[in-house]
């Protein structure tokens, strides 16, 4: 049986759902972003208990078909942003391949429920990923633009500034200043101890 779950965004969510299922003596076959497949049918009582457990961390079982579609779209957008494939494919083609529905239908359903567009949602995911890549990884801006499926460095820089209010270079310099401040603080602490 397949159970659809709202707000699953990371590996930790998969662990939470898997543990909750096991706690209820249910046997997960597969737990992916947005869904869990279990061996047995789930009773209404166990479904309610599962929902209570996972709600503590912001997750929720989805019952409606529209809600299930929106979660699938969100999860595939996230998957799209996180793929490192060299091939250039736009989000509309990616979603149509994954969901096997017309993109206009997918887009309209998403906008109707979320009051936003798939493009804006995907761009916000891309910018969060870009900030992570700038802060924690050692990619140059051209590599980040390419990994996040932007057509050019210029397109990436424009979108980054639009969303964050900073150019990628300025954002990276803020990181360097913070790093320097921490180093200076450590030096001050050492000097005080002496």
């Amino acid at each position: 049986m397949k159970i659809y779950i709202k707000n699953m965004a990371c590996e930790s969510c998969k662990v939470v759902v898997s543990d909750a299922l096991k706690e209820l003596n249910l046997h997960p076959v597969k737990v992916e972003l947005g869904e869990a497949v279990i061996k047995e049918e789930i009773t209404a009582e166990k479904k309610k208990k599962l929902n209570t457990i996972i709600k503590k961390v912001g997750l929720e079982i989805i019952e409606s078909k529209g809600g299930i579609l929106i979660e699938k779209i969100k999860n595939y957008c996230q998957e799209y942003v996180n793929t490192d494939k060299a091939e250039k494919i736009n989000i509309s083609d990616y979603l149509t391949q994954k969901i096997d529905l017309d993109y206009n239908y997918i887009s309209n359903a998403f906008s109707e429920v979320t009051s936003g567009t798939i493009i804006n949602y995907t761009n916000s995911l891309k910018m969060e990923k870009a900030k992570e890549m700038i802060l924690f990884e050692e990619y140059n801006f051209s590599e980040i633009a390419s990994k996040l499926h932007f057509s050019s460095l210029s397109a990436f820089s424009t979108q980054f500034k639009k969303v964050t209010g900073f150019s990628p270079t300025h954002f990276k310099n803020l990181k360097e200043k913070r790093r320097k401040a921490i180093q200076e603080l450590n030096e001050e602490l050492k000097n005080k101890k002496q």
Side-chain angles (χ1 to χ4, degrees):
M1 176 178 193
K2 195 177 275 192
I3 304 167
Y4 294 97
I5 302 164
K6 184 177 179 178
N7 299 328
M8 289 181 75
C10 61
E11 294 301 312
S12 311
C13 296
K14 291 181 187 180
V15 172
V16 168
V17 170
S18 186
D19 289 347
L21 289 167
K22 289 173 186 170
E23 183 181 322
L24 295 170
N25 294 317
L26 297 169
H27 303 90
V29 175
K30 179 175 78 169
V31 178
E32 296 293 326
L33 294 180
E35 63 186 49
V37 179
I38 57 174
K39 287 183 181 177
E40 54 275 302
E41 289 294 316
I42 187 169
T43 64
E45 183 184 329
K46 282 195 178 185
K47 188 182 274 190
K48 188 176 179 180
K49 285 180 182 178
L50 175 63
N51 208 29
T52 301
I53 293 168
I54 64 175
K55 270 188 174 182
K56 292 175 186 172
V57 295
L59 306 177
E60 186 177 352
I61 294 175
I62 308 168
E63 300 287 346
S64 74
K65 287 183 180 181
I68 292 167
L69 176 62
I70 299 311
E71 280 307 302
K72 280 184 177 181
I73 293 167
K74 287 180 176 181
N75 290 328
Y76 286 130
C77 287
Q78 198 159 30
E79 183 179 284
Y80 172 79
V81 168
N82 291 319
T83 56
D84 275 345
K85 293 181 182 172
E87 71 180 69
K88 296 280 184 198
I89 183 171
N90 62 38
I91 187 65
S92 58
D93 291 339
Y94 189 81
L95 288 173
T96 343
Q97 287 173 8
K98 292 290 188 172
I99 299 175
D100 198 28
L101 289 171
D102 178 66
Y103 181 73
N104 287 331
Y105 177 81
I106 295 168
S107 178
N108 289 336
F110 187 86
S111 295
E112 206 172 279
V113 172
T114 67
S115 300
T117 67
I118 289 173
I119 299 300
N120 288 342
Y121 180 75
T122 305
N123 281 336
S124 68
L125 291 174
K126 285 179 178 185
M127 291 307 102
E128 287 306 308
K129 181 75 173 176
K131 288 190 283 187
E132 260 178 47
M133 294 171 89
I134 291 168
L135 290 174
F136 302 114
E137 299 175 21
E138 297 304 319
Y139 292 107
N140 66 42
F141 298 136
S142 294
E143 291 169 327
I144 293 171
S146 176
K147 286 183 178 292
L148 295 178
H149 311 284
F150 282 95
S151 58
S152 67
L153 175 57
S154 174
F156 164 68
S157 296
T158 301
Q159 187 64 37
F160 191 89
K161 184 161 183 146
K162 181 180 175 185
V163 171
T164 67
F166 301 109
S167 70
T169 304
H170 186 78
F171 187 80
K172 186 171 186 168
N173 289 339
L174 290 174
K175 169 191 156 191
E176 296 304 322
K177 285 180 183 175
R178 269 183 280 178
R179 203 181 269 169
K180 197 181 265 186
I182 290 170
Q183 290 168 346
E184 289 168 3
L185 184 62
N186 286 336
E187 286 299 315
E188 282 179 30
L189 288 173
K190 283 181 190 176
N191 291 336
K192 285 182 181 180
K193 287 182 181 179
Q194 293 174 356

